[in-house]
């Protein structure tokens, strides 16, 4: 990576004692990362750097397609928490190594309420300020303001000297006016956030404004809110409960997807299917390589970055016995002829909506008889679960339907030590030795979306139109599993699709990616040509 100057500065006296009192000893530790650079500080340099730049582009900024949908979500939030100040941070940059950061991704709740994705809102915070009943934005009870750090002028030192925020280092950032035009949300400089969050805050019984904060996103904003609470005598334990209720509601607000979200998910699924085609094409190169799984992982990552923002989650590229490790993300194993490779992967769109698809593929393009038998059992379980999906079904019943099929197959193969009924009973569950995970989870901005929703609105809920979730049964027979015949060992199979609930039943958003053994073999043969 580039620094301000490629020359390495001469070291200071490295043998000086720890209690030295010179200028080097007084330099703050956090500033010493800049010792590798020789940044010009002369007034002449500053004047020259601030001159002779073309004016910033003045192309009109159009509203994002997500803006009206995000406005409706903010109004639903406003209806729930009338009279309270709501603080939703995007999150801060996270250090990966020393002074290099991970690529920024906003908190999903922030993205849902603003419609913003990609990587240009670190430290931004959405504040919903309570106003008179019905006098707020779109007839709600709040006025929303988006606080963020706007682009600095090219005549400023930040332009060329700040490696985290300067345009010279990271490219252009939005202006306040441009962001307001995009989102339909009033904007303000991040420097105004402290006053906006803390003004007239305090206990409701003495005329203060109650604050609810989305926690777990930005420690600086948390410290700001908590300090304000302490200074105004607000009970922190009680406030933690208020914050938890906000987190819960923001999670539940995503249980039903609107039309814009469905289209974003369709795009993510399409890109993910293209990524699986890329995987098949690199299997000959992966086969026999000591880290063949990394070749598979890399092919999919290239597609995710080409067509989307990033991976929706770390890709699982698990060949052979690694496919029996449910979250195998090391991906450092060999891809061997005759094995199956289980790939669980999803492209995250620029809007941050992700697909989540799994296919289990024969490395050589053809299933062996035992591989085909196990694969077909998993496919039958997935198909039975999908056929059952319709409005009114309970979410937990998807899993029950899939488990019925798998328990019956395991019994037919002589693997269950008890009857099917006993295995399926709460006191049994022996079949779960080979299928220990759940069959479904909600999908959207997070791969495991709506995770903070109440149990009665998730596992125990009735399925309704607008829900999007996965169906992903599997069977996993480990090499070291002595409860199964040797021919089963080292085989892991999972089939996962993304399901959209409609008024009539359900749509498999990922059905275009082959699923049956015959279709998988024909598809692989065509791609390998």
């Amino acid at each position: 990576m580039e620094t301000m100057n490629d020359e390495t500065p001469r070291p200071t006296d490295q043998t000086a004692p720890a209690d030295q009192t010179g200028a080097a000893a007084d330099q703050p530790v956090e500033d010493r990362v800049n010792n590798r650079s020789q940044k010009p500080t002369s007034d002449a340099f500053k004047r020259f750097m601030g001159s002779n730049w073309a004016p910033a582009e003045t192309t009109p900024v159009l509203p994002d397609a997500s803006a009206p949908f995000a406005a409706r979500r903010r109004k639903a939030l406003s209806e729930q928490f009338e009279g309270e100040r709501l603080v939703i941070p995007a999150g801060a940059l996270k250090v990966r190594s020393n002074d290099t950061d991970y690529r920024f991704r906003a908190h999903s709740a922030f993205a849902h309420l603003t419609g913003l994705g990609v990587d240009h809102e670190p430290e931004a915070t959405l504040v919903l300020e309570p106003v008179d009943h019905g006098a707020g934005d779109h007839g709600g009870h709040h006025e929303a303001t988006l606080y963020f750090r706007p682009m600095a002028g090219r005549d400023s030192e930040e332009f060329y000297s700040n490696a985290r925020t300067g345009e010279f280092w990271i490219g252009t950032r939005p202006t306040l006016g441009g962001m307001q035009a995009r989102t339909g949300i009033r904007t303000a400089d991040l420097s105004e956030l402290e006053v906006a969050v803390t003004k007239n805050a305090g206990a409701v019984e003495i005329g203060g404004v109650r604050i609810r904060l989305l926690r777990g996103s930005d420690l600086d904003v948390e410290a700001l809110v908590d300090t304000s609470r302490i200074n105004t005598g607000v009970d922190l334990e009680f406030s933690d409960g208020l914050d938890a209720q906000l987190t819960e509601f923001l999670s539940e607000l995503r249980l039903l997807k609107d039309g814009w979200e469905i289209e974003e998910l369709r795009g993510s699924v399409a890109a993910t299917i293209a990524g699986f085609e890329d995987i098949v094409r690199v299997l000959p190169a992966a086969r026999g390589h000591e880290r063949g799984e990394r070749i598979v992982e890399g092919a999919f990552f290239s597609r995710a970055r080409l067509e989307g923002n990033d991976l929706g989650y770390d890709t699982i590229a698990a060949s052979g016995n690694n496919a029996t490790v449910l979250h195998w993300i090391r991906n450092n194993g060999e891809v061997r002829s005759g094995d199956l490779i289980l790939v669980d992967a999803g492209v995250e769109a620029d809007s941050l909506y992700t697909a989540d698809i799994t296919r289990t593929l024969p490395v050589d393009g053809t299933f062996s008889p035992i591989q085909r038998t196990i694969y077909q059992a998993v496919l039958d379980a997935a198909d039975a679960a999908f056929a059952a999906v319709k409005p009114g079904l309970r979410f937990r019943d998807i899993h029950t339907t899939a488990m019925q099929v798998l328990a019956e197959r395991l019994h037919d193969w002589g693997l269950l030590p008890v009857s099917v009924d006993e295995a399926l009973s709460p006191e049994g569950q022996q079949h779960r030795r080979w299928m220990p995970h759940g069959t479904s989870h909600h999908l959207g901005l997070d791969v495991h979306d709506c995770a903070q929703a109440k149990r009665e609105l998730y596992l125990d809920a009735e399925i309704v139109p607008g829900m999007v979730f996965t169906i992903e049964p599997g069977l996993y027979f480990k090499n070291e599993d002595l409860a199964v015949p040797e021919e089963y060992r080292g085989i892991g199979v999972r089939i996962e699709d993304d399901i959209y609930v409609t008024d009539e039943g359900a749509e498999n958003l990922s059905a275009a990616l082959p699923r049956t053994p015959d279709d998988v073999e024909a598809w692989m043969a065509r791609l390998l040509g």
Side-chain angles (χ1 to χ4, degrees), residues 315-470:
T315 298
I316 297 170
S319 186
N321 192 56
N322 290 342
T324 69
V325 181
L326 298 181
H327 284 174
W328 176 258
I329 59 172
R330 293 192 186 101
N331 300 337
N332 61 357
E334 188 176 352
V335 175
R336 298 184 177 90
S337 293
D339 280 348
L340 299 177
I341 182 167
L342 186 158
V343 181
D344 188 333
V347 172
E348 178 184 84
D350 288 340
S351 60
L352 307 186
Y353 286 81
T354 185
D356 181 9
I357 301 174
T358 306
R359 290 294 185 266
T360 307
L361 310 174
V363 170
D364 295 329
T366 304
F367 291 97
S368 71
I370 188 62
Q371 289 170 350
R372 179 178 279 259
T373 295
I374 296 169
Y375 185 98
Q376 188 64 53
V378 174
L379 179 63
D380 289 346
D383 287 347
F386 176 73
V389 174
K390 61 181 179 181
L393 184 80
R394 286 195 307 168
F395 192 82
R396 63 166 58 251
D397 293 337
I398 302 171
H399 179 77
T400 301
T401 301
M403 292 305 97
Q404 178 75 39
V405 174
L406 293 182
E408 290 172 353
R409 297 303 171 84
L410 292 165
H411 182 268
D412 292 345
W413 299 337
L415 303 184
L416 278 184
V418 296
S419 69
V420 171
D421 288 343
E422 186 174 347
L424 290 172
S425 70
E427 297 76 25
Q429 298 292 298
Q430 288 86 347
H431 61 292
R432 298 297 298 279
R433 176 185 179 113
W434 301 290
M435 168 53 186
H437 60 79
T439 303
S440 297
H441 59 78
H442 282 271
L443 179 68
L445 281 164
D446 293 334
V447 65
H448 297 148
D449 211 26
C450 315
Q452 285 75 45
K454 292 187 289 291
R455 183 184 184 92
E456 58 266 29
L457 294 180
Y458 199 126
L459 188 61
D460 295 331
E462 285 191 0
I463 292 171
V464 297
M467 286 184 172
V468 178
F469 48 75
T470 65

Side-chain angles (χ1 to χ4, degrees), residues 62 68 87 97 257 264 310 336 338 366 387 455 460 469 500:
L62 300 176
V87 181
S97 172
K257 271 61 180 179
E264 289 300 303
D310 210 315
R336 298 184 177 90
T366 304
R455 183 184 184 92
D460 295 331
F469 48 75
Y500 166 44

Side-chain angles (χ1 to χ4, degrees), residues 64-75 112-113 115 258-261:
D64 290 347
S66 60
F69 295 93
R72 286 197 282 271
R73 299 167 201 152
R74 293 194 300 275
K75 184 176 180 183
H112 193 237
L113 294 172
D258 56 42
W260 181 83
E261 291 176 288

Side-chain angles (χ1 to χ4, degrees), residues 85-158:
R85 181 175 297 144
L86 310 177
V87 181
I88 300 96
L93 290 165
K94 294 180 173 61
V95 174
R96 184 187 185 277
S97 172
N98 190 24
D99 60 340
T100 60
D101 299 314
Y102 287 101
R103 274 194 291 268
F104 178 73
R105 185 197 189 280
H107 191 286
S108 294
F110 175 90
H112 193 237
L113 294 172
T114 62
L116 294 170
V118 294
D119 62 354
H120 54 225
E121 305 94 26
E123 299 181 354
T125 301
L126 179 69
V127 177
L128 273 65
E129 181 68 19
V131 295
D132 292 340
H133 179 84
D137 299 336
H138 311 286
H141 315 308
H142 293 81
E143 291 181 344
T145 301
L146 179 59
Y147 294 86
F148 70 100
R149 181 179 290 106
M151 182 174 66
R154 290 170 183 164
D155 58 349
S156 69
E157 286 193 46
E158 180 184 352

Side-chain angles (χ1 to χ4, degrees), residues 44-312:
F45 169 77
K46 293 176 182 179
R47 285 194 300 271
F48 187 58
M49 279 298 291
S51 65
N52 295 319
W53 297 104
E57 290 189 18
T58 57
T59 305
V61 178
L62 300 176
D64 290 347
S66 60
F69 295 93
R72 286 197 282 271
R73 299 167 201 152
R74 293 194 300 275
K75 184 176 180 183
L77 176 62
S78 178
E79 295 289 342
Q80 183 71 18
F81 298 108
E82 184 175 357
E84 301 178 324
R85 181 175 297 144
L86 310 177
V87 181
I88 300 96
L93 290 165
K94 294 180 173 61
V95 174
R96 184 187 185 277
S97 172
N98 190 24
D99 60 340
T100 60
D101 299 314
Y102 287 101
R103 274 194 291 268
F104 178 73
R105 185 197 189 280
H107 191 286
S108 294
F110 175 90
H112 193 237
L113 294 172
T114 62
L116 294 170
V118 294
D119 62 354
H120 54 225
E121 305 94 26
E123 299 181 354
T125 301
L126 179 69
V127 177
L128 273 65
E129 181 68 19
V131 295
D132 292 340
H133 179 84
D137 299 336
H138 311 286
H141 315 308
H142 293 81
E143 291 181 344
T145 301
L146 179 59
Y147 294 86
F148 70 100
R149 181 179 290 106
M151 182 174 66
R154 290 170 183 164
D155 58 349
S156 69
E157 286 193 46
E158 180 184 352
F159 166 66
Y160 61 85
S161 66
N162 192 316
R164 267 192 163 182
T165 63
E167 182 183 346
F168 213 102
W169 292 85
I170 66 170
T172 58
R173 300 202 315 275
T175 63
L176 292 174
M179 184 68 87
Q180 182 164 332
R182 284 187 55 190
T183 62
I185 306 172
R186 62 184 56 79
T187 57
D189 193 287
L190 189 62
S191 61
E192 301 175 30
L193 178 65
E194 181 175 355
V195 172
V197 169
T198 60
K199 65 181 180 182
N200 62 12
V204 175
E205 54 270 22
I206 59 172
V209 176
R210 176 181 289 166
I211 302 174
R212 289 184 190 259
L213 167 68
L214 175 70
R215 304 190 78 91
S217 176
D218 190 318
L219 292 177
D220 288 341
V221 178
E222 289 185 23
L224 175 64
V225 172
D226 287 343
T227 300
S228 172
R229 287 167 170 168
I230 292 169
N231 290 341
T232 55
V234 175
D235 182 83
L236 291 184
E237 186 174 350
F238 175 73
S239 295
D240 285 345
L242 298 179
D243 295 344
Q245 290 171 358
L246 175 62
T247 298
E248 177 184 84
F249 181 80
L250 291 173
S251 193
E252 293 169 356
L253 190 60
R254 307 209 305 265
L255 283 165
L256 301 184
K257 271 61 180 179
D258 56 42
W260 181 83
E261 291 176 288
I262 296 301
E263 291 309 306
E264 289 300 303
L265 286 165
R266 289 188 192 279
S268 297
V269 167
T272 300
I273 291 173
F276 272 88
E277 293 176 345
D278 296 338
I279 286 168
V280 172
R281 293 188 182 100
V282 302
L283 279 177
R287 190 166 51 236
H289 193 286
E290 64 179 2
R291 283 193 167 189
E293 292 174 345
R294 293 280 173 93
I295 295 176
V296 171
E297 175 189 353
F300 189 85
F301 179 68
S302 294
R303 179 64 61 173
R305 289 293 285 165
L306 177 66
E307 294 198 30
N309 177 54
D310 210 315
L311 299 170

